[in-house]
Amino acid sequence: MKKILTLLILLCFLISCERKEPNFSKEMIEKLADRGEVKNGIVRLPPPPASFTDLYFGVNRDEIVLTNGDALFLFYKEDYSEKFKSFKEFLSAVLNDGFVLDKKLFKNPRYPKRFTLNQKIEKEYSDLGFDQFFKKYSKPSGKKGVLQLNKSIMKSEEGEYLTVTYLMYKNKYDISRDCYQGIDYLRKREDSFR
């Protein structure tokens, strides 16, 4: 009887385990890894627009880096091309598997953009859950079916904006900026890569 009970508990545990979906699918990683067509050192075809998407990764337990595909490509070429077989493999490790880049790479203290999460926003996210958090920090943009980030309720000097955008990113929403109008649109990640 004990063996059957143990077997049933083990079976229930295995069935209940969820496989975590990666932040970026294989297709998305391929698009991010696309550097355009280069012949004789000249770019003939530009990389796809998805390669300009904001990307975040950690450098230690507390610090997060905001960057883009171009900067990650430079880190790969200069410091990680021997450790990883391809840029795609490097991107997948950094964006999906939590690979931590060496902090010594960031010689310029301003680049790439580094920040720590705002504890007030983190607690609010934890208390509300993502759906309610999303409702609070988004609003209609005036364009049919398009949402924008509700920046009016954030204090940028306290890192609230970066924390909110990072938490949206972790939940597969990307920010598309209209610098002229000062609007940040929210897009589902899969829509950014179409």
Side-chain angles (χ1 to χ4, degrees):
M1 183 70 176
K2 231 180 187 182
K3 288 180 182 180
I4 293 173
L5 185 60
T6 304
L7 185 61
L8 283 173
I9 291 172
L10 182 62
L11 185 62
C12 288
F13 176 73
L14 290 174
I15 290 171
S16 68
C17 287
E18 288 182 42
R19 185 167 182 220
K20 188 179 176 207
E21 194 176 313
N23 230 352
F24 290 85
S25 69
K26 287 181 182 180
E27 295 81 16
M28 291 176 187
I29 293 290
E30 283 183 28
K31 285 185 179 182
L32 285 171
D34 183 359
R35 307 312 311 152
E37 184 182 321
V38 180
K39 288 187 179 178
N40 299 326
I42 299 170
V43 176
R44 301 265 182 210
L45 295 174
S51 66
F52 300 104
T53 300
D54 285 348
L55 303 172
Y56 297 82
F57 62 90
V59 287
N60 59 33
R61 238 185 280 149
D62 302 328
E63 201 169 36
I64 295 169
V65 175
L66 166 60
T67 191
N68 59 37
D70 290 336
L72 282 175
F73 184 67
L74 288 175
F75 294 140
Y76 166 73
K77 279 299 215 188
E78 292 177 7
D79 300 288
Y80 292 98
S81 59
E82 290 179 15
K83 184 174 178 125
F84 294 93
K85 288 185 266 183
S86 67
F87 183 47
K88 279 193 273 190
E89 188 180 295
F90 174 72
L91 280 173
S92 185
V94 171
L95 301 176
N96 287 333
D97 303 333
F99 179 77
V100 176
L101 274 63
D102 187 348
K103 195 172 181 175
K104 293 179 208 166
L105 296 175
F106 312 120
K107 296 166 183 92
N108 183 336
R110 293 188 203 176
Y111 185 81
K113 178 79 175 167
R114 290 172 278 184
F115 64 98
T116 55
L117 293 178
N118 178 290
Q119 291 179 350
K120 180 185 124 206
I121 299 292
E122 268 190 300
K123 182 176 179 349
E124 182 178 44
Y125 172 78
S126 177
D127 292 346
L128 291 174
F130 179 68
D131 292 337
Q132 291 300 315
F133 182 83
F134 184 80
K135 284 178 184 174
K136 178 177 180 175
Y137 286 99
S138 64
K139 65 181 183 180
S141 68
K143 297 179 184 178
K144 187 176 181 178
V146 178
L147 294 173
Q148 72 182 53
L149 199 61
N150 188 0
K151 296 191 291 187
S152 65
I153 59 173
M154 293 179 242
K155 298 175 185 164
S156 61
E157 69 275 355
E158 295 176 10
E160 290 184 8
Y161 172 82
L162 288 170
T163 302
V164 169
T165 58
Y166 173 73
L167 293 170
M168 294 291 185
Y169 169 86
K170 292 300 286 179
N171 287 278
K172 299 184 182 181
Y173 278 87
D174 295 326
I175 304 296
S176 173
R177 290 179 182 83
D178 181 335
C179 296
Y180 181 71
Q181 293 183 344
I183 297 173
D184 291 353
Y185 297 103
L186 289 163
R187 297 182 67 179
K188 287 186 177 179
R189 178 146 314 130
E190 63 263 15
D191 294 340
S192 298
F193 282 84
R194 287 192 182 150

